[in-house]
Amino acid sequence: MNAAPRLGFIGIGLMGKPMTLRLLTAGYAVTVWNRSREKLAPVLARGAVAADSPAAVAQAADIVIYKASLVPVGKDQAAHLELSREIVRAFNSRYGDTFPEPIAVHT
């Protein structure tokens, strides 16, 4: 049997906090980062692990969840970001403008 994927969450705000708490309750290992460190307290108390940067979240996780407009990526990650863009377009066309379509900032 395969181990559960390690998850990462960037941004613990109105959407990020409840989603992260649900993932933790479901038993997933979640690494988190937020610009305001104090917003991490509720999820850290439930077992999340704090990362020092978004890059550290990406290194610690198999799947990274975020809501961002500008996403720093290497050129080798462009296909992954394009897949995210397609998912966002499909979601937004069905449920309304919920997520911004991520734009690559090549690093």
Side-chain angles (χ1 to χ4, degrees):
M1 185 160 130
N2 292 336
R6 299 167 302 155
L7 303 177
F9 218 107
I10 298 173
I12 305 300
L14 292 175
M15 287 177 55
K17 177 183 166 188
M19 292 172 75
T20 300
L21 290 171
R22 286 186 70 105
L23 293 168
L24 291 165
T25 299
Y28 287 95
V30 184
T31 301
V32 295
W33 179 85
N34 197 74
R35 284 185 310 231
S36 305
R37 296 285 289 193
E38 64 274 1
K39 287 190 176 185
L40 294 178
V43 297
L44 296 178
R46 295 279 294 278
V49 175
D52 292 330
S53 67
V57 173
Q59 290 173 340
D62 300 310
I63 300 169
V64 178
I65 304 162
Y66 55 88
K67 181 180 177 183
S69 298
L70 302 175
V71 181
V73 295
K75 292 188 187 222
D76 61 331
Q77 299 166 325
H80 296 288
L81 188 63
E82 185 53 36
L83 177 59
S84 295
R85 292 169 57 83
E86 290 175 19
I87 292 168
V88 165
R89 284 192 290 267
F91 187 95
N92 287 347
S93 71
R94 184 170 185 160
Y95 299 105
D97 288 332
T98 304
F99 293 103
E101 208 171 303
I103 298 168
V105 177
H106 293 285
T107 57

